[in-house]
Amino acid sequence: MSLIVQKFGGSSVANADRVRNVAGIITDTYKAGNDVVVVVSAQGDTTDDLIEKSKEITLKPSKREMDMLLSAGEQISIALLAMAIKEMGYPVISLLGWQAGFITSSDYGAERIKTINTARLQAELSKGSIVIVAGFQGINKYDDVTTLGRGGSDTSAVALAAALHADKCQIFSDVDGVYTADPRKVPNAIKLEEITYDEMLELATLGAQVLNNRSVEMAKKYNVELEVLSSLTRQPGTIVKEVVTMEKMLVRGVTKDVNVARISITEVPDVPGIAFKIFSKLAAKNINVDIILQSVGREGTKDIAFTVSKDNADLAIEVLKTSIGEINPDNVALDTTVAKISVVGAGMETHPGAAAKMFEALYERNINIQMISTSEIKISVLIDAEHADEAVLAIHAKFMPVE
Ligand code: ADP
Ligand code: ASP
Ligand code: MG
């Protein structure tokens, strides 16, 4: 007998028909003789709606209360899904994150899973029940309900698969796999049969929403093989694993991330220690810095520009303007109308020319590159957000010509 973890995203359980459809997938898996543990997200746009509700009350809510609010979405879906399965005549129980043993860190808002005490889960499974677990939530050492950050149900599922030594972890979504670009934006994107953890981690981190990046990190760490598939088509999806047998493509995917902001500081003294001062002050506030560009020094000064996520932009500006004597506050500028476009592929490590190809695609559309950063398996550029979708299409066409 196998143990299978299945995760269903918000669109898969958006309404009563979808809930029944998912109940059908789960019970088919159970009928085939498997133990089934299910992780489910909040229905449709529930989490976004809850965030909007909080804004009607305050723009600076307490993080603890925000966790309390957002965790409510998943509570609704587990109950409805369990009812649908019961209606079909199968033994089932729904569990909130804490009931399923999810213990998290205590930094409210985007906690990390520390451990999962699986005793209750195991007990329910041994009674023969299908177990439905609320994704995206846990409990911390103060017995407060916590959440795992947006898209966190993927991580709940992978963590459960690891803790229970599941034979399979299936992530059901509204797309039937991982594509070479967002299939909603790039109509001729190609579905991948397989992808490595490292490539998937880059894609997820650089904006491919289909899997949360922490879930991929965890899958790699605990060697949990993932399948990304659709809850609507029942077709095989994309397998995410350590080594893939497929012939290596130069580029595995093109992504867009609009959750970025560019900060530039002009006329900084051209002396040692300035970069250290700036980036250590930002790090002390937990602000992650991504692409960094420094100009050549001229007449004793230089310019430094870098990107942060949009949510950190205001705090970063405040730190720069108030806590670094060498910086003139008037010389600090913020631009939130930028997008980061990236290409990802392990094949680029051994094949030169990928960067030139990417830049050529942008040149042909007359799109200006503001910043560039590269690693072994990815190249990212920062451009004007207005051209983001066009850039993804152009770059995708350059690397994946359609016959
Ligand atoms: P769920 O609610 O099931 O968690 P998400 O909305 O988080 O689903 O993720 C699925 C969405 O990710 C798809 O609808 C698709 O538009 C988007 N997406 C972005 N990039 C990719 C990609 N490279 N491959 C597949 N889907 C992608
Ligand atoms: N409901 C949460 C969100 O919308 C978690 C998830 O869907 O994975 O971010
Ligand atoms: Mg998701």
Side-chain angles (χ1 to χ4, degrees):
M1 184 146 83
S2 297
L3 171 62
I4 301 185
V5 173
Q6 298 183 318
K7 179 256 168 178
F8 296 91
S11 49
S12 299
V13 292
N15 54 44
D17 283 340
R18 294 273 174 97
V19 169
R20 276 191 281 266
N21 168 59
V22 162
I25 296 175
I26 296 165
T27 50
D28 284 351
T29 312
Y30 180 83
K31 265 191 296 197
N34 303 294
D35 278 342
V36 189
V37 175
V38 175
V39 172
V40 63
S41 300
Q43 292 186 287
D45 296 328
T46 302
T47 309
D48 290 327
D49 296 344
L50 291 172
I51 292 172
E52 287 310 310
K53 272 189 195 296
S54 76
K55 288 185 185 159
E56 290 169 16
I57 306 285
T58 170
L59 292 178
K60 289 204 164 172
S62 118
K63 287 183 171 174
R64 179 190 184 278
E65 302 310 335
M66 209 54 202
D67 276 357
M68 188 63 98
L69 177 68
L70 296 190
S71 65
E74 273 67 13
Q75 179 159 358
I76 296 171
S77 16
I78 56 168
L80 293 175
L81 184 54
M83 287 175 196
I85 292 172
K86 192 131 221 146
E87 278 293 298
M88 296 167 80
Y90 293 87
V92 60
I93 183 166
S94 67
L95 298 175
L96 289 168
W98 69 267
Q99 293 174 307
F102 277 80
I103 313 291
T104 73
S105 59
S106 304
D107 41 347
Y108 301 87
E111 286 86 350
R112 287 180 176 269
I113 299 165
K114 292 191 136 173
T115 50
I116 304 178
N117 299 328
T118 58
R120 172 82 186 266
L121 275 163
Q122 305 274 16
E124 300 296 347
L125 285 174
S126 60
K127 283 187 229 162
S129 287
I130 296 169
V131 185
I132 313 286
V133 179
F136 172 62
Q137 57 173 258
I139 196 169
N140 66 16
K141 63 180 174 197
Y142 308 112
D143 281 351
D144 281 336
V145 171
T146 55
T147 61
L148 305 176
R150 296 307 305 269
S153 294
D154 296 338
T155 315
S156 307
V158 175
L160 266 184
L164 295 169
H165 306 287
D167 299 283
K168 233 189 214 181
C169 183
Q170 298 180 308
I171 310 284
F172 289 86
S173 187
D174 57 355
V175 275
D176 59 358
V178 179
Y179 281 72
T180 50
D182 186 341
R184 292 183 198 292
K185 296 273 166 59
V186 180
N188 49 21
I190 301 161
K191 182 169 143 186
L192 302 169
E193 271 173 47
E194 298 180 330
I195 185 167
T196 64
Y197 292 125
D198 288 334
E199 289 173 312
M200 190 64 233
L201 185 56
E202 290 283 4
L203 285 181
T205 306
L206 295 168
Q209 202 191 341
V210 60
L211 279 178
N212 170 285
N213 62 346
R214 275 193 194 168
S215 73
V216 184
E217 215 170 61
M218 190 173 291
K220 179 178 162 74
K221 184 168 171 194
Y222 295 102
N223 205 18
V224 176
E225 199 172 292
L226 302 179
E227 183 179 10
V228 177
L229 69 175
S230 164
S231 60
L232 301 169
T233 64
R234 300 215 184 189
Q235 296 293 318
T238 300
I239 305 288
V240 188
K241 57 183 189 175
E242 186 64 44
V243 181
V244 304
T245 46
M246 223 170 73
E247 196 187 328
K248 272 200 173 166
M249 298 153 86
L250 178 60
V251 155
R252 199 72 86 172
V254 184
T255 59
K256 167 184 91 167
D257 183 1
V258 290
N259 183 25
V260 283
R262 185 173 71 124
I263 293 175
S264 48
I265 318 163
T266 49
E267 294 180 37
V268 185
D270 190 14
V271 294
I274 284 288
F276 165 64
K277 221 171 193 174
I278 292 174
F279 295 112
S280 56
K281 294 260 187 210
L282 293 172
K285 295 278 183 194
N286 252 332
I287 298 174
N288 231 339
V289 171
D290 188 23
I291 312 178
I292 302 175
L293 195 75
Q294 179 179 296
S295 72
V296 177
R298 217 161 21 107
E299 291 164 12
T301 71
K302 63 192 171 192
D303 304 336
I304 295 179
F306 54 88
T307 60
V308 295
S309 81
K310 263 192 188 136
D311 347 316
N312 283 330
D314 290 339
L315 180 59
I317 293 286
E318 191 186 311
V319 170
L320 295 171
K321 286 192 174 179
T322 58
S323 66
I324 303 171
E326 291 87 344
I327 294 178
N328 176 349
D330 294 340
N331 290 339
V332 180
L334 171 67
D335 185 353
T336 53
T337 61
V338 290
K340 184 166 66 172
I341 311 295
S342 311
V343 294
V344 173
M348 295 194 300
E349 228 174 334
T350 44
H351 288 83
K357 239 176 153 165
M358 183 184 192
F359 303 158
E360 186 183 24
L362 294 168
Y363 162 67
E364 284 166 358
R365 301 291 177 111
N366 207 17
I367 297 172
N368 192 39
I369 301 172
Q370 300 179 11
M371 291 173 135
I372 300 171
S373 94
T374 62
S375 78
E376 285 91 346
I377 67 166
K378 71 134 210 257
I379 307 164
S380 299
V381 296
L382 197 77
I383 63 168
D384 198 326
E386 201 191 334
H387 303 303
D389 288 333
E390 186 190 352
V392 170
L393 279 169
I395 294 166
H396 188 269
K398 196 56 113 193
F399 284 99
M400 325 266 172
V402 228
E403 307 84 66

